[in-house]
């Protein structure tokens, strides 16, 4: 899915949704806005996982509907700016991703890094801040959930994990969710896999959840499990049950 109309940094869907979950999909789109061009990549590379998280947006929207949740999503390819990375990180505007060189990111001038940061990163995180603050002001205790997908094979090595649950410094919600998922599904569920905070993938959680103690988790679904709208809807239904079931486990903990 290419978000052809989106030349802005962020879209907020369901801003007035009454639920306490705040959903985030940083890598929702493989759109390459005209001002940055195609970064020297061919069509196949622009459609590949390096440019976005296939299936993640459909899953996030399915979750938002069921959870009555707001969804904050990115609208440009993560190769232009990876919204889950801080501006000083090399991965924010990577020169290489997996086996692909990214010519349009090679030796970027500082002025261009700043321009992309101001155009994409700052508005996205300001919008997410606003959604969390709005709920806090209304007496709603937000739960921050970021939605991602990963490839079944990485550098030639198959991945057995099907659902990865990743956390920043507070493991409680991810751990509770893993327990529910193992009890209620047949999925191969792993904590902090195929990535973890040590890989620099929890920036959104670290920026928006950790400082104010919000329950949080990063969902990583193997993308062959959410490759179609039907599969995305089925997974959203399953995960909705788990996300709700895990909350009492942490809220009853002293």
């Amino acid at each position: 899915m290419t978000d052809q109309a989106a030349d802005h940094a962020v879209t907020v869907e369901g801003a007035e949704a009454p639920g306490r979950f705040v959903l985030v999909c940083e890598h929702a789109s493989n759109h390459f806005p005209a001002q940055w061009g195609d970064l020297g990549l061919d069509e196949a590379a622009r459609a590949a996982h390096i440019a976005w998280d296939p299936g993640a947006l459909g899953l996030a929207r399915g979750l938002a509907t069921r959870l009555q949740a707001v969804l904050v999503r990115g609208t440009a390819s993560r190769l232009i700016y990876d919204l889950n990375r801080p501006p000083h990180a090399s991965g924010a505007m990577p020169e290489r991703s997996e086996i692909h060189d990214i010519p349009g990111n090679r030796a970027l001038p500082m002025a261009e890094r700043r321009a992309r940061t101001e155009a994409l990163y700052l508005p996205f995180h300001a919008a997410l801040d606003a959604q969390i603050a709005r709920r806090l002001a209304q007496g709603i205790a937000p739960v921050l959930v970021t939605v991602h997908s990963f490839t079944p094979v990485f550098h030639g090595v198959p991945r057995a994990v099907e659902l990865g649950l990743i956390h920043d410094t507070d493991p409680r919600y991810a751990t509770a969710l893993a327990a529910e998922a193992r009890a209620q599904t047949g999925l191969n569920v792993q904590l902090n896999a195929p990535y973890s905070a040590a890989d620099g993938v929890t920036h959104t959680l670290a920026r928006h959840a950790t400082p104010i103690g919000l329950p949080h988790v990063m969902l990583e679904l193997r993308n062959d499990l959410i490759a179609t709208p039907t599969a995305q809807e089925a997974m959203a239904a399953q995960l909705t049950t788990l996300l709700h079931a895990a909350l009492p486990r942490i809220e009853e903990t002293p």
Side-chain angles (χ1 to χ4, degrees):
M1 176 180 179
T2 301
D3 196 351
Q4 295 287 359
D7 287 315
H8 49 285
V10 57
T11 293
V12 177
E13 299 181 4
E16 302 301 328
R20 64 184 294 196
F21 285 89
V22 176
L23 301 179
V24 182
C25 193
E26 300 101 319
H27 306 152
S29 176
N30 65 337
H31 177 48
F32 285 75
Q35 68 195 95
W36 291 293
D38 60 14
L39 303 186
L41 299 171
D42 62 21
E43 184 177 357
R46 297 195 307 273
H49 178 262
I50 62 166
W52 64 324
D53 280 355
L57 178 57
L59 173 61
R61 283 175 165 162
L63 287 170
T65 297
R66 289 168 173 79
L67 294 167
Q68 294 186 290
V70 62
L71 169 61
V72 180
R73 66 177 181 90
T75 58
S77 171
R78 64 173 165 198
L79 293 177
I80 297 168
Y81 193 106
D82 186 330
L83 298 166
N84 194 30
R85 301 292 188 277
H88 61 278
S90 60
M93 293 159 263
E95 294 189 7
R96 186 174 176 83
S97 183
E98 298 180 12
I99 62 171
H100 299 270
D101 290 320
I102 316 299
N105 286 348
R106 190 176 301 124
L108 280 179
M110 289 300 104
E112 173 63 11
R113 294 184 67 88
R114 176 173 172 171
R116 293 193 198 180
T117 299
E118 291 180 342
L120 297 171
Y121 175 85
L122 294 179
F124 180 87
H125 287 280
L128 180 52
D129 270 334
Q131 292 304 317
I132 292 171
R134 174 182 291 173
R135 282 154 181 78
L136 290 169
Q138 293 174 307
I140 298 170
V143 180
L144 187 61
V145 179
T146 66
V147 183
H148 296 258
S149 70
F150 65 94
T151 57
V153 178
F154 186 67
H155 288 298
V157 179
R159 287 162 156 169
V161 59
E162 295 174 307
L163 170 61
L165 301 171
I166 299 161
H167 59 80
D168 191 45
T169 56
D170 182 352
R172 291 176 302 154
Y173 190 53
T175 301
L177 190 57
E180 291 291 341
R182 288 165 181 156
Q184 297 190 42
T185 77
L187 295 172
N188 183 319
V189 180
Q190 297 183 29
L191 278 170
N192 296 312
Y195 313 107
S196 74
D199 301 305
V201 301
T202 59
H203 175 64
T204 297
L205 301 178
R207 174 167 176 164
H208 298 279
T210 297
I212 54 175
L214 300 185
H216 63 266
V217 67
M218 177 178 177
L219 303 178
E220 280 278 7
L221 275 297
R222 207 174 66 193
N223 65 27
D224 59 316
L225 301 179
I226 51 171
T228 66
T230 299
Q232 292 157 18
E233 285 296 308
M235 186 62 72
Q238 193 169 39
L239 289 173
T240 295
T241 299
L242 301 176
L243 288 163
H244 279 306
L247 280 176
R249 286 177 173 258
I250 64 169
E251 292 178 336
E252 294 170 0
T253 301

